[in-house]
Amino acid sequence: MSYTDEIYNRVVEQNPGEPEFHQAVKEVLDSLKVVIDANEEKYRKLGVLERIVEPERIISFRVPWVDDNGQVQVNKGYRVQFNSAIGPYKGGLRLHPSVNQGILKFLGFEQIFKNSLTGLPIGGGKGGSNFDPKGKSDREVMAFCQSFMTELSKYIGADQDVPAGDIGVGAREIGYLYGQYKRLTGLYEGVLTGKGLSYGGSLIRTQATGYGLVYILKEMLEHNNQSLEGKTVVVSGSGNVAIYATEKAQQLGAKVVALSDSNGFVYDENGINLDVVKEIKEVRRGRIKEYVEKVPTAKYTEGKGIFKIKCDIALPCATQNELDLEDAKALKANGCFAVAEGANMPSTREATDFFLANDMLFMPGKAANAGGVATSALEMSQNSMRLSWTSEEVDEKLKGIMKGIFAKVDAASKKYNLEGNYVAGANIAGFEKVVDAMLAQGIC
Ligand code: NDP
């Protein structure tokens, strides 16, 4: 049995009940076969794969808080500190009822390679809780965040582990978390990113994941003699990533016709009015179906099905495994030729394989959504220097980073005769730098 297969079997056996983690590991190991096989003896002796699939540390804790009725509630809190070979752990905090240790391990594992691709000195981590901020009052969210940080603060720091936002964690939550960290430690340091502009945040961080997604999409299209101008785009989700991917795609001349949330999706053949969406989602924290109240010509459909809409380009920006094989086939049948992932692992393995087998342009999340963490690293730099860059400066750096990621991914795919397979390219390019650093640092 090959070393990569052996390690995959070991991961499944030793991490039961964590299917998303198995899925993420399998995709990476399958891509790495060409690299590992050439030097199998060396990698095996050094236990490289055993080490890279095992988190350096997982912290798991109780989060008690009091709701508005005076009732004590208890949630589970986690931080997965996966790999610090190239820098302090960096990765978001997710607040969603679906969060468990396996989901955070998959996200933390992906984060190692994503962060490596940015070219910036950041290791991989992820955290969160099964707390559901939906429907909670501001006071309840604050109570939860303060309790969560009371425990988490023991394990993070500006040079140690720097969390950020993810699903369910935006500016409000980062503010409450930061305030509590400061009270507990007395330190005013860049321990979190995604902070408000008045207390150390970076311009463009809010937009960075969505903008970065469209910048790398543009690179991929141009590299393949295509352009974004005039293309019809479907974007799933309607949170931070989806909103700013839509904004940048529109600015670059595309027409975004659909957005969704976990209840259903809206289709607006005239092109989504983003001001209406921002008012619903960023101001009122409402549901996407409210869009049709403001734009009566648009249509709302309850449930799944957004990827059945005819489009040229699809940008899944909601959550893991939201796009399955049936969706992939429908996209292809309707003329879609490019998919770039704003979310983490939104396509199932079967869907990904279908895109690749059918010569569709496909950019995986760990490359496509790396603009968020890259800009978080730029926020860390600004905090360390006690300086703030302008929007133009940050945006230029973000563009350069996304261009650089595309170049690395493309070069790695070509190096191993897998031209156009950006999944393999991203996994290999991300891995090479991390493994180089791990080997240089000895057995640790
Ligand atoms: P938000 O919480 O801002 O938005 C998430 C969106 O996805 C919402 O519209 C939400 O709908 C929808 N969604 C969440 N869970 C589900 C589900 N189970 N089924 C259907 N829809 C769902 O999160 P972000 O925009 O920040 O994150 C979206 C994705 O992008 C995630 O995969 C995240 O890991 C990834 N990502 C985010 C980065 C960032 O900087 N924020 C960076 C890199 C990746 P509803 O409101 O109904 O729950």
Side-chain angles (χ1 to χ4, degrees):
M1 193 185 292
S2 72
Y3 181 34
T4 48
D5 287 342
E6 201 179 299
I7 294 302
Y8 175 67
N9 290 342
R10 178 186 157 119
V11 164
V12 172
E13 196 184 301
Q14 296 189 354
N15 300 271
E18 299 183 347
E20 294 84 3
F21 181 51
H22 304 164
Q23 182 183 343
V25 168
K26 177 147 184 54
E27 185 206 282
V28 170
L29 290 179
D30 284 352
S31 294
L32 293 181
K33 267 202 171 89
V34 284
V35 183
I36 301 288
D37 283 355
N39 270 302
E40 183 170 325
E41 210 175 313
K42 171 184 150 196
Y43 286 125
R44 202 187 266 278
K45 181 131 196 261
L46 290 168
V48 167
L49 295 182
E50 286 87 340
R51 283 193 271 161
I52 212 157
V53 298
E54 194 65 42
E56 286 174 20
R57 189 175 305 104
I58 299 180
I59 299 130
S60 146
F61 50 93
R62 178 174 72 197
V63 191
W65 56 281
V66 182
D67 72 16
D68 284 347
N69 297 320
Q71 175 65 48
V72 173
Q73 302 284 346
V74 178
N75 286 100
K76 288 175 180 294
Y78 306 91
R79 185 70 181 164
V80 179
Q81 298 183 329
F82 220 120
N83 192 302
S84 62
I86 62 171
Y89 310 103
K90 182 93 198 86
L93 296 172
R94 177 176 289 192
L95 299 183
H96 193 271
S98 63
V99 165
N100 56 44
Q101 187 168 293
I103 298 257
L104 296 176
K105 279 165 73 179
F106 121 63
L107 290 164
F109 183 70
E110 292 273 294
Q111 198 83 42
I112 303 169
F113 307 98
K114 180 191 311 196
N115 292 3
S116 163
L117 285 172
T118 67
L120 300 167
I122 38 180
K126 199 83 190 186
S129 169
N130 60 352
F131 173 78
D132 187 358
K134 236 178 267 160
K136 303 284 192 301
S137 68
D138 284 354
R139 195 210 60 80
E140 289 176 319
V141 171
M142 181 170 72
F144 169 83
C145 287
Q146 291 182 338
S147 180
F148 184 84
M149 182 52 86
T150 299
E151 194 59 31
L152 185 69
S153 63
K154 299 169 191 166
Y155 310 99
I156 61 175
D159 294 313
Q160 185 181 0
D161 183 353
V162 184
D166 190 74
I167 290 179
V169 177
R172 175 183 60 172
E173 292 74 19
I174 293 290
Y176 294 149
L177 291 163
Y178 190 72
Q180 184 71 355
Y181 180 84
K182 193 160 60 67
R183 284 171 79 195
L184 290 165
T185 62
L187 297 171
Y188 205 104
E189 60 171 14
V191 70
L192 290 165
T193 56
K195 299 187 291 299
L197 295 177
S198 56
Y199 63 96
S202 172
L203 287 159
I204 305 290
R205 175 60 191 93
T206 306
Q207 297 87 343
T209 309
Y211 279 18
L213 169 66
V214 176
Y215 292 150
I216 201 167
L217 168 69
K218 187 167 172 279
E219 281 297 308
M220 175 172 77
L221 294 180
E222 285 171 3
H223 194 81
N224 289 280
N225 304 315
Q226 288 280 356
S227 85
L228 196 52
E229 182 101 36
K231 297 294 185 302
T232 299
V233 180
V234 160
V235 178
S236 66
S238 50
N240 173 267
V241 180
I243 286 176
Y244 291 98
T246 300
E247 183 165 283
K248 187 51 74 180
Q250 289 177 339
Q251 285 171 5
L252 297 181
K255 181 157 94 167
V256 177
V257 294
L259 283 173
S260 65
D261 61 20
S262 54
N263 294 113
F265 61 92
V266 284
Y267 172 67
D268 186 342
E269 63 176 348
N270 300 316
I272 291 286
N273 181 332
L274 204 55
D275 290 339
V276 171
V277 176
K278 284 184 179 176
E279 161 70 19
I280 296 169
K281 289 290 174 182
E282 295 186 335
V283 181
R284 287 193 281 117
R285 299 180 188 275
R287 309 308 301 158
I288 200 68
K289 70 173 169 211
E290 293 163 38
Y291 183 86
V292 294
E293 291 163 17
K294 288 271 182 328
V295 186
T297 47
K299 213 180 132 218
Y300 175 72
T301 307
E302 192 77 16
K304 283 194 73 175
I306 190 170
F307 298 112
K308 308 286 188 313
I309 294 171
K310 186 172 168 53
C311 64
D312 302 307
I313 296 166
L315 304 177
C317 295
T319 194
Q320 63 273 0
N321 291 329
E322 55 167 313
L323 194 166
D324 61 18
L325 179 60
E326 202 190 305
D327 293 321
K329 287 180 176 167
L331 285 169
K332 173 79 183 165
N334 284 328
C336 173
F337 68 91
V339 178
E341 297 184 325
N344 285 307
M345 207 169 73
S347 311
T348 63
R349 178 61 189 264
E350 293 75 23
T352 300
D353 288 346
F354 180 88
F355 294 141
L356 296 176
N358 285 276
D359 293 327
M360 291 170 73
L361 299 176
F362 178 69
M363 189 56 71
K366 63 171 75 69
N369 67 36
V373 73
T375 308
S376 274
L378 299 180
E379 184 174 328
M380 289 164 70
S381 302
Q382 292 169 81
N383 292 162
S384 298
M385 293 189 296
R386 307 275 194 255
L387 281 176
S388 297
W389 293 325
T390 63
S391 296
E392 292 72 25
E393 282 174 291
V394 180
D395 199 29
E396 270 316 300
K397 289 185 202 300
L398 172 61
K399 270 184 206 157
I401 290 167
M402 299 315 293
K403 231 178 157 70
I405 293 175
F406 180 78
K408 279 180 216 166
V409 169
D410 186 48
S413 72
K414 285 177 179 151
K415 181 173 159 193
Y416 290 95
N417 293 322
L418 294 162
E419 185 164 356
N421 183 340
Y422 302 130
V423 174
N427 288 330
I428 293 168
F431 172 80
E432 284 184 334
K433 178 176 173 187
V434 175
V435 104
D436 198 53
M438 283 173 73
L439 296 183
Q441 292 169 30
I443 309 303
C444 56

